[in-house]
Amino acid sequence: MKHLFMVAVAAASLILPASAEEPAPIPSPGEIAAAAPASDWVAMAPSDLLVMDLAPDARGKPRRVVIQLMPAPFSQGWIGNIRKLAAAHWWDGTSVNRVQDNYVAQWGDATEKKPLPKGLATVPEGDYVTQTRGTGGQKRSVTSDGRPLVMNWSGWSPGWSWADQVDAYSTKRSFFRGWSFASTDGKTGWPVHCYGMVGVGRNMSPDTGSGAELYTVIGHAPRHLDRNIAVVGRVISGVEHLSSLPRGTGALGFYEDAGERVAITSIRVATELPTADQPRFEYLSTESDSFARYVDARQNRRDPFFITPAGGADICNIPVPVRPVAVK
Amino acid sequence: MKHLFMVAVAAASLILPASAEEPAPIPSPGEIAAAAPASDWVAMAPSDLLVMDLAPDARGKPRRVVIQLMPAPFSQGWIGNIRKLAAAHWWDGTSVNRVQDNYVAQWGDATEKKPLPKGLATVPEGDYVTQTRGTGGQKRSVTSDGRPLVMNWSGWSPGWSWADQVDAYSTKRSFFRGWSFASTDGKTGWPVHCYGMVGVGRNMSPDTGSGAELYTVIGHAPRHLDRNIAVVGRVISGVEHLSSLPRGTGALGFYEDAGERVAITSIRVATELPTADQPRFEYLSTESDSFARYVDARQNRRDPFFITPAGGADICNIPVPVRPVAVK
């Protein structure tokens, strides 16, 4: 293909093994992930997957969006509400009501009159940030071109450690069970507003939102929302069904005509679906050597297309690799 | 509007003047820009605007995308080629061929066989980075809530100065004539791959692309492309006509069926259009007090919705305000 530039994450083809005579080219981040052994991939629990089916598109094609909810101890108050809302089938018949370019796609009850299920928690603003443990360890590995590599890593809970990062929004970052977090004090951390992350719409402070009104980021990471709005999950499949919707022409990207809204057929926790219909995904263990090499490659692109490696990457440019699992 | 979060750049309503009794609420970045005096806005030259008309959408609505080309001394080799290609009407009848989610929309000649105009320059890789001057100045102002504010700023050429920034991709940033640039040595600078920026597709190094194959960023800023691909401009209007297109299902987001491609009716430099049809835009002077306050507000959100100001913003989260001008 001529006159293109290559894309790391998109290029997931396996690299060829190097012969004794000729070294293999330096792999791209996507190639490193694709070459990772099966033991470095972790299955996602269906109980943590939210399956949102939108009405079929104009050509009758189904539109399924799969969202992975965050692991404890993060944002569990809102996530508990979201599980109750899904169990009550509360979102069935609601819609995507707002699509603002380079910002968010937002869904919920456009009438704002639909009664909420009983027993939803009121979550305090303090839960935007979570206590983490200072313990953990270091991952020693080698880069794909043989240089020694040391990556501070987040061990399995309660293990936790922070790596310094150059960032306008925080001074430390950590990867934990397939997710990335930011911190300034190294004792508390918060999830970050990156592309595809799912957050909870709210009114003015001290309201923090119930979880009934959700959005996903469809543009450059709005990191100024970190610690100001709850992050509860991320879209792991089908984000294009939201990001490619027509932009709303009303204030803040709201659809002006009810006819422009995109109907939500249903939102379910995957465990409520027939087993054969449950999505299966896995992520590259953030505690694996493969992930350490992947992070290094994201920060220092040395695959053939690149001339000048950046020497770093912002946290939202290090998406944790996720892949579907073929159901046997 | 309930259960939403507010958006700075979208909320462009003027703030109310403060009475002696009650101070005005702290304005959002968008409100600061909207309140800027007319003298702080700079008209864009029609000779620097590229007007791309796509075939009308399924409902027959026109789709116009307006691109502002970068000012000298940046990327002028490629921009010279782009002016020749537009003057030759070379893009007429070509198409948008690639839309990759959270990455780019790319257009040009899908056949890769269309002859290029004579006399296009071959631009060296060295031109990804540009020499800048070390002189310049400082802007002293006050924030909207009265705190003293000093912002290093880029004076009019040859004035130039760099402000330190916390960034994974560079150590300094500067604003110059309505554009933002990054640097590590403070002597050379390069344009940054932010949302809506337009770049030049290329083959493997040392090819740098002719300018015939262009793309715009429709996702999180792929800053690792900085200094590896030429940036030549930015979409200032109509980016939604590219960012909301269906994603390609082929490798790298290419459309697999020719029928999926979006036809380009024409691409012209605005000066070639009838005067009445020429788009008119202006940008907030990056050397103005208003812009200094806007940057401060982007970095420290204190408008009512926010609880925890970030204390910083990455360069791609400080888009230079641009607005259309009503033609008299």
Side-chain angles (χ1 to χ4, degrees), chain B residues 26 123 163:
Chain B
I26 298 171
V123 189

Side-chain angles (χ1 to χ4, degrees), chain B residues 139-162:
Chain B
K139 171 70 67 180
R140 291 181 180 281
S141 184
V142 293
T143 63
S144 301
D145 54 344
R147 295 179 298 104
L149 175 65
V150 177
M151 187 180 81
N152 289 320
W153 64 299
S154 54
W156 296 106
S157 184
W160 190 287
S161 76
W162 293 98

Side-chain angles (χ1 to χ4, degrees), chain A residues 20-105:
Chain A
E21 293 68 29
E22 50 187 46
I26 298 172
S28 70
E31 290 166 335
I32 290 169
S39 57
D40 284 350
W41 291 87
V42 182
M44 296 181 185
S47 57
D48 290 334
L49 300 183
L50 209 56
V51 179
M52 174 164 68
D53 287 326
L54 304 176
D57 69 13
R59 294 175 179 163
K61 287 186 182 169
R63 292 186 282 191
R64 172 165 284 190
V65 179
V66 181
I67 295 164
Q68 182 189 21
L69 297 171
M70 295 194 68
F74 298 94
S75 303
Q76 294 301 295
W78 295 281
I79 290 170
N81 288 350
I82 288 167
R83 292 182 183 282
K84 286 181 179 145
L85 287 154
H89 300 184
W90 187 84
W91 282 291
D92 298 11
T94 63
S95 53
V96 180
N97 305 313
R98 174 194 187 188
V99 182
Q100 182 171 358
D101 196 69
N102 189 24
Y103 203 47
V104 298

Side-chain angles (χ1 to χ4, degrees), chain B residues 261-284:
Chain B
R261 297 173 188 153
V262 178
I264 295 172
T265 307
S266 71
I267 296 184
R268 300 282 184 275
V269 172
T271 46
E272 200 180 328
L273 300 175
T275 307
D277 196 30
Q278 293 178 10
R280 309 279 184 88
F281 287 88
E282 52 191 17
Y283 66 90
L284 184 62

Side-chain angles (χ1 to χ4, degrees), chain A residues 6-11 26-33 143-144 147 149 173 175 284 290-303 306 308-321, chain B residues 100 102-103 168-169 220-225:
Chain A
M6 309 306 167
V7 182
V9 171
I26 298 172
S28 70
E31 290 166 335
I32 290 169
T143 63
S144 301
R147 295 179 299 105
L149 175 65
R173 75 174 177 216
F175 295 100
L284 184 62
S290 298
F291 186 76
R293 288 193 293 274
Y294 167 84
V295 172
D296 171 71
R298 292 291 293 177
Q299 297 185 142
N300 304 283
R301 297 296 300 275
R302 290 178 297 272
D303 40 311
F306 286 83
T308 306
D314 76 61
I315 195 168
C316 291
N317 265 331
I318 309 176
V320 174
Chain B
Q100 182 171 357
N102 190 24
Y103 203 47
Y169 303 91
H220 187 72
R223 295 284 308 281
H224 51 285
L225 298 177

Side-chain angles (χ1 to χ4, degrees), chain B residues 12-71:
Chain B
S13 59
L14 281 159
I15 60 169
L16 297 168
S19 75
E21 293 68 29
E22 49 187 46
I26 298 171
S28 69
E31 289 167 336
I32 291 169
S39 57
D40 284 351
W41 291 87
V42 181
M44 296 181 185
S47 56
D48 290 334
L49 300 182
L50 210 56
V51 179
M52 173 165 68
D53 287 327
L54 304 177
D57 69 13
R59 293 174 180 164
K61 285 186 184 171
R63 292 186 282 191
R64 171 165 286 191
V65 179
V66 181
I67 295 164
Q68 182 189 21
L69 298 171
M70 295 195 69

